[in-house]
Amino acid sequence: MAEIQISTECQERQFTLCPKFEKSFSILGKRWNGLIIDVLLEEGCQRFGELAVKIPNLSDRVLVERLKELEVNEIVERIEDKDNSKKVEYRLTEKGRDLKSAMTEIQKWSEKWLSVEESS
């Protein structure tokens, strides 16, 4: 086996993460968040039950948690019907809709490099 030489320049360089970049991955990288955003980008405003059906294997409890997190981060907004308090819909905010191009690029990358059979 060949020995790999690492230059001292690479060893000495200090790498720091951008706090905003790190925060975006803590939100978008959380399991199910990307799929929720993707459904809302493609389908528009959705009721809870519609989201639950479109994202198989996502429990109602976790869906509630993720929607609340996305709402706190101002990516999703919860809309209550004034006439029927039980009718609630979720839609992306402007901040959430602005993820469209990033999500499109991730989709292109996944189609090129991943297969369904690969494990996570």
Side-chain angles (χ1 to χ4, degrees):
M1 223 193 234
E3 189 174 312
I4 298 173
Q5 296 289 325
I6 300 174
S7 72
T8 54
E9 178 185 313
C10 290
Q11 291 175 341
E12 293 172 5
R13 192 172 33 180
Q14 182 70 27
F15 180 78
T16 57
L17 285 173
C18 169
K20 289 183 177 183
F21 187 77
E22 187 176 4
K23 179 165 176 132
S24 22
F25 267 90
S26 74
I27 297 166
L28 300 175
K30 196 165 206 175
R31 188 165 189 193
W32 306 112
N33 282 356
L35 297 176
I36 293 166
I37 292 166
D38 192 52
V39 168
L40 293 172
L41 279 169
E42 295 300 317
E43 303 289 327
C45 203
Q46 298 285 294
R47 294 187 69 183
F48 183 90
E50 294 170 322
L51 282 168
V53 166
K54 291 175 182 164
I55 306 172
N57 304 318
L58 173 58
S59 72
D60 287 353
R61 180 186 61 78
V62 174
L63 180 54
V64 167
E65 288 174 10
R66 296 303 186 265
L67 286 168
K68 284 181 182 176
E69 291 170 7
L70 292 169
E71 190 176 358
V72 166
N73 286 289
E74 300 175 338
I75 293 170
V76 168
E77 61 185 335
R78 185 177 192 269
I79 304 150
E80 290 184 31
D81 188 323
K82 292 176 184 144
D83 299 326
N84 181 357
S85 62
K86 291 185 179 185
K87 185 177 178 188
V88 176
E89 294 181 316
Y90 297 89
R91 72 175 174 208
L92 293 172
T93 61
E94 180 182 357
K95 184 177 179 179
R97 290 187 305 275
D98 209 27
L99 287 165
K100 178 100 175 137
S101 61
M103 296 297 281
T104 299
E105 289 304 313
I106 291 168
Q107 181 66 38
K108 286 180 190 176
W109 179 86
S110 67
E111 287 173 6
K112 180 177 181 179
W113 293 104
L114 302 178
S115 68
V116 177
E117 296 79 35
E118 289 184 45
S119 61
S120 52

